[in-house]
Amino acid sequence: MSASKASSETAGVPPNTKRPNFLVIVADDLGFSDLSCFGGEIRTPNLDKLASKGLRFTDFHAAAACSPSRAMIMTGTDHHIAGLGNLIEWTNRSDQNAPSAGDSKHWSTAPQRGMPGYEGYLNERVVALPELLKDAGYLTLMAGKWHLGLTPERAPSKRGFERSLAHLPACSNHYAYEPQLENQDQIPGFMTMSFIALHSEDGEYIKKLPEDWYSSNGYGDKMLSYLQDRKTTGDERPFFGYFPFTAPHWPLQAPDEYIAHYKGVYDEGPDVLREKRLTRMKELGLCSGNVEPHPVVADEVKAWADMTPEEKAKSSKAMEVFAAMVECIDANVGKVVDYLEETGDLDNTFVCFMSDNGAEGAAYEAYPIVQGSMIQHLQRYYDNSFENLGRGNSFIWYGPRWAQAATAPSRLYKAFTTEGGVRVPFLAKFPKGFAEGDASNLDRGITNTFGTVMDLAPTILEMAGVKHPSPDGKGTYQGREVVSMRGRSMVPFLKGTEQSVHPADFINGWETCGRAAVRCGDYKILFIPKPKGPEKWQMYNLAKDPGEIHDLADADPERLERMIKMWDQYVLETGVVPLAPALGQWMEAMEAQMPEDVWMEYEYWKDGARDDPEAFRRPQPRFTREVKAM
């Protein structure tokens, strides 16, 4: 029997049982406490309603950055295996992921270029969740951010999606605004890959988006239309809908009517907001009443008290726009969920919502790649006047202080393997009749069990009654060998037959741009380069110290040594290419890996690329690397 055929076998679903639908919703750079149901003040009534009927997770984790998390959602395995060991944008240019000035530095990503697991797209070693569900008779739909490949052969349509509207790169203008460059002006280096709102539909590049385009509304309308088509055509297949937004990723932009809801809300600044949210999180039971939050780390920007009135006004307006983006996401979730309720499908639909990483706290104004030409470009082609902030021809971000209001009590934010970078809000509503009974964990409302985005694929496959073709890592799919899933189905925990999703000795690792971590049980070791960390392993007991404040490395060296060995094993199993000798099997970059800014498969931002994509393709070398047990 072929793997494709085998994958359509059902397992654990009683005969004549109607299989559930699935709607997986992902926000981009949303902070842990941004939603109202997670402690925030932002209006999110539709997500709050889903949370009230389901389960909120307080210890759920993603990768520290976007495409790695999306790779894990799609495959159930680690992103270093699936082809997104790093964001291809950060592999392509080392200066994209951190500043390099004075005491600050970025680590070269050259050793990762062309290596297995760093292809920049979902590679052939994995089978994608929608591929298996489509083979099993599901209608597979997607509207939103893909970020798992730029070319037609890497498109969602080639990885199991029957219908798809896909935003292909990391980010872009939410209104698809493109200034017309004058004279010999060029796109600044930092903006090249965010300048064009590159999309495809069903594998075909879209040359021009609608005039009234706004990202969240566009994806909401498209997902709704796909579901309406399903009804119109009488398609009785269950559906899998993947609904990943590009918001609230920078540039911070939102419709005026949403921005107006937050006028003056943030005038007291990020420190006051942080305290208000922590208080509400305690009231909701999302953290302990005596939690010790990690101090704010933001030396590269002014403190609120040191800002001028004009600087405070612009900073609080940026946060108002961010909040508006989140509310607009909620409105589009409501649009789709309300339709499912009208058609009677909602009762049989598993709906979940999460962020792909922690809040984005980079102070880009401190990056040398942003200083100079990019600032001049923004001044010439964009209008960042106070009244215009949030519109399509503005371009702003909100920085580390607002981000740490959203990640508190955790440490730091996106791109760091601290809890502030990898702990994300996750909520789920389950089909009617699922996991009923006295043993069920669904009635808790809130759970503190540890989980990861890798657990979604095995959970969905079990609920759908679909077998993975390679449970032992030795199976094949469509004639090629594929890896097993590292995630674990949440179904036994949800039904109450197990007390947690993962066993107590489960080991989970993280790595992004030389920032690393390993967790086993309550303990976590952490490696953060300077200046945000000491550039050596630290160790924390998260049960007692969720803020990662009190380093136990010197007090318990034996445990630290054991956990460093767990890190070595994680590197061996997943193929991490360390960027520093302290992280294990470090190798200097080969000469062929040294060139910067030549590692994108499709240079879509260049003049003429959209008219003749093939002429702007850049075939990428693929190297090999042997890693031996230590």
Side-chain angles (χ1 to χ4, degrees):
M1 184 182 292
S2 71
S4 177
K5 194 88 167 178
S7 70
S8 67
E9 291 182 356
T10 58
V13 175
N16 303 318
T17 298
K18 190 176 182 181
R19 292 188 291 170
N21 306 305
F22 300 96
L23 182 64
V24 176
I25 311 165
V26 184
D28 197 352
D29 294 358
L30 183 82
F32 186 85
S33 65
D34 283 325
L35 302 186
S36 176
C37 56
F38 276 86
E41 69 297 321
I42 301 174
R43 304 183 190 188
T44 53
N46 296 293
L47 290 165
D48 295 350
K49 184 177 178 181
L50 289 171
S52 71
K53 297 180 178 180
L55 200 56
R56 282 168 287 171
F57 286 65
T58 66
D59 201 17
F60 196 80
H61 293 75
C66 38
S67 57
S69 292
R70 293 159 198 273
M72 295 196 291
I73 292 169
M74 284 290 100
T75 65
T77 195
D78 191 276
H79 60 98
H80 296 92
I81 295 170
L84 282 300
N86 199 347
L87 276 73
I88 188 62
E89 294 83 2
W90 292 352
T91 307
N92 179 58
R93 288 185 64 143
S94 295
D95 56 2
Q96 281 274 10
N97 80 88
S100 181
D103 293 333
S104 302
K105 66 179 181 179
H106 61 253
W107 285 2
S108 171
T109 53
Q112 298 175 340
R113 293 168 183 160
M115 286 297 185
Y118 291 84
E119 294 87 355
Y121 53 82
L122 283 187
N123 62 29
E124 65 278 2
R125 298 173 67 197
V126 293
V127 55
L129 175 62
E131 291 178 297
L132 298 176
L133 291 174
K134 184 180 180 183
D135 291 346
Y138 271 76
L139 171 64
T140 50
L141 311 169
M142 176 193 165
K145 178 175 172 178
W146 180 237
H147 202 194
L148 299 175
L150 292 167
T151 60
E153 64 269 28
R154 321 283 186 215
S157 59
K158 298 297 185 182
R159 299 312 297 249
F161 283 105
E162 191 169 327
R163 301 300 315 275
S164 61
L165 172 66
H167 180 280
L168 300 176
C171 62
S172 67
N173 190 291
H174 295 278
Y175 286 97
Y177 167 76
E178 293 178 30
Q180 300 305 301
L181 303 185
E182 300 171 356
N183 303 320
Q184 301 301 310
D185 285 358
Q186 300 291 316
I187 305 170
F190 181 79
M191 293 183 73
T192 51
M193 285 163 274
S194 61
F195 195 79
I196 306 294
L198 182 69
H199 285 74
S200 70
E201 186 160 19
D202 299 335
E204 298 288 331
Y205 290 125
I206 297 173
K207 289 192 174 181
K208 186 172 175 56
L209 291 164
E211 291 294 332
D212 62 349
W213 176 261
Y214 177 73
S215 63
S216 297
N217 292 337
Y219 305 138
D221 290 344
K222 184 58 69 172
M223 181 58 74
L224 181 62
S225 73
Y226 287 157
L227 292 168
Q228 289 170 334
D229 288 347
R230 172 176 173 263
K231 285 296 179 185
T232 301
T233 59
D235 191 336
E236 296 185 356
R237 289 177 292 172
F239 70 83
F240 169 76
Y242 182 46
F243 196 15
F245 291 87
T246 54
H249 194 297
W250 56 262
L252 304 183
Q253 299 164 331
D256 285 350
E257 60 268 29
Y258 291 111
I259 298 174
H261 294 165
Y262 300 94
K263 183 176 177 61
V265 170
Y266 302 107
D267 287 355
E268 293 177 297
D271 298 327
V272 171
L273 178 65
R274 193 173 198 249
E275 290 304 317
K276 287 181 176 179
R277 288 196 179 180
L278 278 168
T279 297
R280 189 152 183 269
M281 289 169 67
K282 294 173 185 177
E283 292 170 351
L284 293 173
L286 294 165
C287 64
S288 70
N290 61 354
V291 67
E292 183 181 2
H294 194 282
V296 172
V297 181
D299 294 341
E300 66 272 44
V301 297
K302 286 184 180 181
W304 182 258
D306 296 332
M307 289 184 179
T308 66
E310 182 182 2
E311 288 170 335
K312 287 181 178 180
K314 281 197 167 185
S315 181
S316 59
K317 179 69 176 288
M319 184 62 208
E320 291 172 14
V321 177
F322 178 92
M325 297 175 81
V326 176
E327 184 179 344
C328 190
I329 289 174
D330 182 81
N332 281 283
V333 169
K335 182 190 306 180
V336 172
V337 170
D338 286 350
Y339 176 75
L340 294 177
E341 192 162 24
E342 291 169 14
T343 58
D345 287 311
L346 186 60
D347 279 350
N348 194 40
T349 302
F350 168 81
V351 184
C352 67
F353 176 93
M354 77 208 80
S355 180
D356 60 348
N357 44 247
E360 167 65 283
Y364 285 112
E365 62 271 28
Y367 285 35
I369 190 177
V370 172
Q371 296 167 351
S373 63
M374 178 167 167
I375 298 300
Q376 293 170 7
H377 176 86
L378 293 179
Q379 291 170 344
R380 182 167 187 175
Y381 292 106
Y382 291 81
D383 179 3
N384 280 346
S385 62
F386 178 80
E387 295 77 12
N388 199 61
L389 295 180
R391 293 175 180 157
N393 62 337
S394 68
F395 195 105
I396 55 172
W397 49 88
Y398 72 175
R401 295 189 183 278
W402 293 110
Q404 288 172 90
T407 60
S410 301
R411 176 181 174 185
L412 292 173
Y413 39 78
K414 174 185 176 179
F416 292 93
T417 50
T418 55
E419 289 297 282
V422 299
R423 188 175 74 118
V424 298
F426 178 78
L427 64 88
K429 181 210 76 75
F430 299 90
K432 190 174 183 179
F434 174 80
E436 289 185 337
D438 293 340
S440 171
N441 280 308
L442 295 191
D443 292 335
R444 291 185 181 186
I446 294 173
T447 177
N448 300 322
T449 191
F450 175 81
T452 87
V453 292
M454 289 188 292
D455 301 330
L456 277 175
T459 301
I460 289 170
L461 289 176
E462 181 169 355
M463 291 177 69
V466 179
K467 294 179 180 178
H468 191 278
S470 188
D472 57 0
K474 299 177 181 178
T476 62
Y477 180 78
Q478 295 184 349
R480 68 181 192 273
E481 292 184 3
V482 292
V483 299
S484 60
M485 296 183 290
R486 289 175 70 88
R488 183 179 171 97
S489 172
M490 293 186 278
V491 170
F493 165 75
L494 296 169
K495 291 188 173 182
T497 58
E498 294 185 8
Q499 294 305 302
S500 61
V501 175
H502 293 277
D505 60 353
F506 176 75
I507 297 168
N508 197 78
W510 292 268
E511 186 277 336
T512 301
C513 293
R515 301 144 191 169
V518 161
R519 177 167 171 177
C520 182
D522 291 336
Y523 284 86
K524 177 181 175 182
I525 60 170
L526 187 61
F527 185 96
I528 302 296
K530 297 176 182 178
K532 298 295 185 185
E535 213 158 294
K536 66 177 183 179
W537 286 108
Q538 299 172 290
M539 184 171 70
Y540 302 96
N541 182 334
L542 295 181
K544 298 178 180 179
D545 181 23
E548 295 172 323
I549 301 166
H550 305 290
D551 183 6
L552 304 175
D554 292 338
D556 194 350
E558 291 183 1
R559 184 186 296 273
L560 176 65
E561 185 177 354
R562 290 198 303 271
M563 294 195 71
I564 291 175
K565 288 180 179 178
M566 295 176 190
W567 163 258
D568 292 339
Q569 186 63 28
Y570 172 71
V571 170
L572 183 68
E573 292 177 0
T574 62
V576 172
V577 177
L579 296 182
L583 297 180
Q585 293 272 0
W586 183 74
M587 301 188 311
E588 289 191 46
M590 300 178 290
E591 185 175 349
Q593 295 174 302
M594 294 304 291
E596 295 275 329
D597 205 15
V598 295
W599 300 91
M600 304 292 290
E601 274 201 307
Y602 174 31
E603 295 176 329
Y604 58 90
W605 59 91
K606 294 188 173 180
D607 288 342
R610 281 175 286 183
D611 295 323
D612 186 9
E614 284 299 317
F616 292 84
R617 295 281 296 270
R618 185 188 283 272
Q620 296 298 314
R622 296 182 69 168
F623 307 119
T624 58
R625 174 175 182 258
E626 184 179 355
V627 181
K628 297 179 180 178
M630 302 172 201

